[in-house]
Amino acid sequence: MERSEIKNYLDKNKDRFLSELLDLLRIPSVSADPNCAADVNRTAEAVKQRLIEAGADKVEISKTKGHPVVYGEKIIDPSKPTVIVYGHYDVQPPDPLDLWHSPPFEPVIKKTELHPEGAIFARGSCDDKGQMYMHVKAFEIMMKTNTLPCNVKFMIEGEEEVGSANLGTWIVENKARLKGDVILISDTSMIANDIPSIDIGLRGLTYMEVEVVGPNRDLHSGVYGGAVANPINVLCKMIASCHDENNHITIPGFYDAVTELNAEERKELAKAPFSLDAYKKDLNVAEDQGEKGYTSIERTGIRPTLDVNGIWGGYTGEGAKTVLPSKAYAKISMRLVPNQSSEKICELFTKYFESIAPKSVKVKVSHHHGGEPVVVSMDSPAFKAASNAMEETFGKKPIPTRGGGSIPIVALFKDKLGLDSILFGFGLDTDALHSPNEHYGLVNYYKGIETIPLFYRNYVALNK
Ligand code: BES
Ligand code: MN
Ligand code: MN
């Protein structure tokens, strides 16, 4: 396969490849929002059509208990390897809407400091429609230039952003048609556009919700305040007790299973370029913070965390209202690292919150979703194929990194299908995923489309 052939086809079709992605981005496929259910289905339909046009066979929208999975395949020769592409067509809610500079589902292209050649601003542009669609276009290129060197199967889901609760069942039910050799995923980040990297880890997740109930009704905070427990005060105290002065998590047993890295491994991690000044400047914070004894890269890559995602209760409207509320709530998530178990952490968290609650309130702890952490071996032919492909298009060997985010299904691919995944991400952490003004660099989009066929070529060559 000639790289120039791919490049030629890409250059000729650049504008169409972009406008097709913009069309996908116009559909608000917010999996968390029941009001978007029809749009989520429309997006699945669009992905299906695009896979058919690109040349896939047996393309179908496969039902689950939740949003459907789009499946398609091209089997050129059963004796050849099979790459299974995973991605997601659902997106995060766009809120808070007033912080977007342009409407989240009306994509526009604007230049930024990190994307001087322009970036697509829209919800899902990077996470994950833009990155997922690179695979559809790379597949089209290989089909149209007769360079697809092996079999490929697509599995594009619609529930990643809500925890992939139904995909685990789906992959087990579809085990027979998911026979393959490796899972290829573009849903992570690289260090910078001139510093390619490949994630060799993902953190796990345990997502909890806590309800604290005090008196049986909202009270006048003057008449009762001081004599009755305020559930918001209590909840804040409970949350504050989760970290000590070194930002170490205090939940008993929380670190018991954590795999510590040895000095050698930590030295390897520290090789990735990182500027704390640029980091702070980008986020406009005067100081960073985190677990004592670890670098920023380690704090997000190899250490577990606990964060409050939302907290509410009492009066939050305009002006002031004197009230001692009856109830308080918080959504709390914990990122997990290798060897921690999402279920075990759920248990420990629940036990801790129940044990520290004063008798003056009732506490209800419930579980939302979770997923297990992942490490990717660098010794496999697939990893080498990915690394060499990036080296070819970026002119630099990609640096192995440990991503801080989670993709819950990846651990299940290993568990249920026995398949390793390659985290072939082309976004940047600064692309505002899940935030207002999410964007994806045009350079990143096209570079991904150009690099993916090289992965296939390398993978097949290394498998011989
Ligand atoms: N694509 C992200 C995960 C990600 C982003 C990994 C950047 C590494 C670098 C994915 O869509 C995501 O947001 N996952 C969720 C988990 C889910 C259960 C909601 C997450 O990490 O919060
Ligand atoms: Mn994603
Ligand atoms: Mn996401």
Side-chain angles (χ1 to χ4, degrees):
M1 177 199 301
E2 284 295 319
R3 196 181 145 195
S4 61
E5 215 177 326
I6 296 164
K7 195 85 174 84
N8 273 340
Y9 190 95
L10 172 58
D11 285 342
K12 278 202 201 104
N13 293 280
K14 259 189 162 160
D15 294 345
R16 176 173 58 85
F17 284 6
L18 177 59
S19 70
E20 287 175 7
L21 172 57
L22 299 187
D23 285 344
L24 266 190
L25 291 169
R26 288 193 182 98
I27 320 176
S29 51
V30 181
S31 48
D33 184 352
N35 292 321
C36 289
D39 291 311
V40 172
N41 280 325
R42 257 202 314 138
T43 311
E45 198 57 56
V47 172
K48 175 185 160 183
Q49 283 311 321
R50 299 297 169 71
L51 277 171
I52 293 171
E53 285 157 22
D57 300 325
K58 298 192 180 163
V59 187
E60 67 166 283
I61 295 181
S62 184
K63 285 211 171 76
T64 71
K65 276 198 189 130
H67 300 306
V69 178
V70 185
Y71 178 87
E73 62 180 41
K74 188 75 204 177
I75 307 297
I76 59 162
D77 177 352
S79 70
K80 295 226 158 101
T82 300
V83 174
I84 304 179
V85 174
Y86 164 81
H88 61 94
Y89 65 83
D90 65 320
V91 302
Q92 284 276 323
D95 315 78
L97 280 173
D98 52 325
L99 294 182
W100 283 79
H101 302 313
S102 55
F105 299 106
E106 294 173 26
V108 290
I109 297 181
K110 282 186 295 188
K111 296 183 163 89
T112 72
E113 206 178 311
L114 293 177
H115 297 292
E117 290 170 69
I120 310 159
F121 281 77
R123 171 57 86 233
S125 54
C126 177
D127 184 11
D128 180 42
K129 283 174 177 163
Q131 295 209 69
M132 173 272 287
Y133 203 60
M134 299 182 316
H135 287 269
V136 181
K137 294 299 97 178
F139 171 65
E140 175 190 325
I141 295 181
M142 292 185 285
M143 287 299 292
K144 298 289 148 71
T145 57
N146 260 314
T147 55
L148 181 68
C150 62
N151 309 310
V152 53
K153 295 176 175 175
F154 288 90
M155 162 181 37
I156 313 297
E157 75 151 316
E159 295 192 308
E160 198 281 338
E161 297 293 8
V162 287
S164 300
N166 298 297
L167 191 61
T169 311
W170 190 88
I171 63 170
V172 172
E173 285 169 1
N174 288 272
K175 200 169 171 176
R177 69 168 163 183
L178 292 176
K179 263 180 71 180
D181 298 281
V182 69
I183 311 259
L184 185 61
I185 307 171
S186 294
D187 194 23
T188 51
S189 315
M190 334 179 275
I191 296 174
N193 278 0
D194 57 347
I195 313 171
S197 62
I198 300 181
D199 273 1
I200 52 163
L202 289 169
R203 288 196 285 186
L205 189 70
T206 302
Y207 203 120
M208 310 295 294
E209 184 159 328
V210 180
E211 182 190 58
V212 177
V213 182
N216 60 3
R217 59 188 188 276
D218 284 6
L219 303 172
H220 188 293
S221 67
V223 176
Y224 289 94
V228 179
N230 178 324
I232 302 182
N233 294 14
V234 170
L235 178 58
C236 289
K237 214 165 160 178
M238 289 165 73
I239 290 170
S241 82
C242 289
H243 290 93
D244 69 13
E245 66 282 8
N246 293 323
N247 277 310
H248 215 70
I249 294 157
T250 53
I251 298 173
F254 187 83
Y255 291 97
D256 281 1
V258 168
T259 308
E260 302 278 345
L261 268 63
N262 63 35
E264 189 60 37
E265 292 166 315
R266 291 180 72 180
K267 226 171 93 190
E268 267 314 300
L269 267 190
K271 282 187 183 157
F274 178 79
S275 156
L276 189 54
D277 280 334
Y279 192 72
K280 290 191 291 193
K281 198 171 151 235
D282 175 50
L283 300 174
N284 195 20
V285 294
E287 207 172 83
D288 65 321
Q289 71 104 61
E291 193 184 353
K292 197 175 168 190
Y294 295 92
T295 64
S296 306
I297 288 181
E298 290 174 333
R299 285 167 180 170
T300 56
I302 59 163
R303 299 300 294 168
T305 56
L306 181 151
D307 276 294
V308 180
N309 299 265
I311 180 162
W312 70 102
Y315 184 68
T316 55
E318 286 290 313
K321 177 190 180 190
T322 48
V323 62
L324 194 165
S326 165
K327 290 177 182 177
Y329 304 84
K331 291 185 192 284
I332 301 172
S333 68
M334 290 155 281
R335 296 281 168 178
L336 313 179
V337 298
N339 207 39
Q340 280 182 302
S341 136
S342 174
E343 202 183 312
K344 178 81 196 166
I345 292 296
C346 170
E347 253 171 56
L348 294 176
F349 178 94
T350 307
K351 216 156 118 196
Y352 179 67
F353 265 73
E354 287 171 355
S355 75
I356 60 170
K359 283 213 182 71
S360 51
V361 298
K362 294 184 218 47
V363 168
K364 209 166 95 201
V365 182
S366 51
H367 178 247
H368 277 290
H369 56 58
E372 306 304 330
V374 173
V375 265
V376 176
S377 160
M378 290 166 59
D379 294 327
S380 70
F383 188 86
K384 287 191 190 102
S387 178
N388 294 346
M390 270 193 160
E391 187 174 355
E392 200 170 323
T393 48
F394 286 86
K396 274 182 206 173
K397 227 184 184 44
I399 297 170
T401 48
R402 298 275 287 247
S406 310
I407 308 176
I409 198 65
V410 177
L412 293 182
F413 287 149
K414 183 72 183 173
D415 240 39
K416 307 285 181 206
L417 305 176
L419 292 174
D420 290 319
S421 296
I422 296 296
L423 303 167
F424 211 26
F426 290 82
L428 301 183
D429 280 339
T430 48
D431 285 345
L433 332 179
H434 297 200
S435 300
N437 306 305
E438 176 179 353
H439 53 281
Y440 190 42
L442 291 173
V443 164
N444 304 64
Y445 181 55
Y446 293 128
K447 196 78 138 216
I449 298 173
E450 189 190 345
T451 309
I452 289 163
L454 305 181
F455 167 85
Y456 283 78
R457 180 202 63 191
N458 295 348
Y459 183 60
V460 172
L462 283 162
N463 255 295
K464 274 198 182 122

